[in-house]
Amino acid sequence: MDNDHSADVISTFDCNILRDAFRTSVIENRIPEDQWQGYAALLIRDYTGNSDCESALLAWVVRK
C-alpha cells in the first residue's frame, strides 16, 4: 500500500484526520491559542513530509 501523503495529493479524509488530531492535541496538551498556527504547521509538515504548508489548509485546521 502506498502511503503518499504529499501536500499535492492530500485527501479530504486526510484533512479531517489532521484537524481531529490537531484539536485533540490542543486540548490534551493545553496548547495556547497563540501557538496554534505553528503547532498545526508542524503537524501538517510531519504528516505530509512536505516543508511547505498550504495556507488554506493551515487556516482550516486551526479554525474554531
Side-chain angles (χ1 to χ4, degrees):
M1 179 177 203
D2 186 12
N3 284 332
D4 183 13
H5 295 294
S6 71
D8 296 333
V9 293
I10 191 164
S11 70
T12 302
F13 182 73
D14 290 328
C15 290
N16 285 320
I17 289 171
L18 285 167
R19 190 170 191 198
D20 289 344
F22 169 77
R23 288 179 171 191
T24 300
S25 292
V26 163
I27 292 167
E28 289 179 356
N29 297 314
R30 297 184 177 133
I31 298 171
E33 190 170 349
D34 65 336
Q35 295 177 14
W36 287 5
Q37 290 278 334
Y39 184 75
L42 180 62
L43 187 68
I44 293 167
R45 282 193 295 263
D46 285 348
Y47 188 79
T48 63
N50 189 338
S51 61
D52 293 327
C53 181
E54 184 179 323
S55 61
L57 175 59
L58 182 60
W60 183 79
V61 168
V62 300
R63 186 180 74 200
K64 289 184 185 182

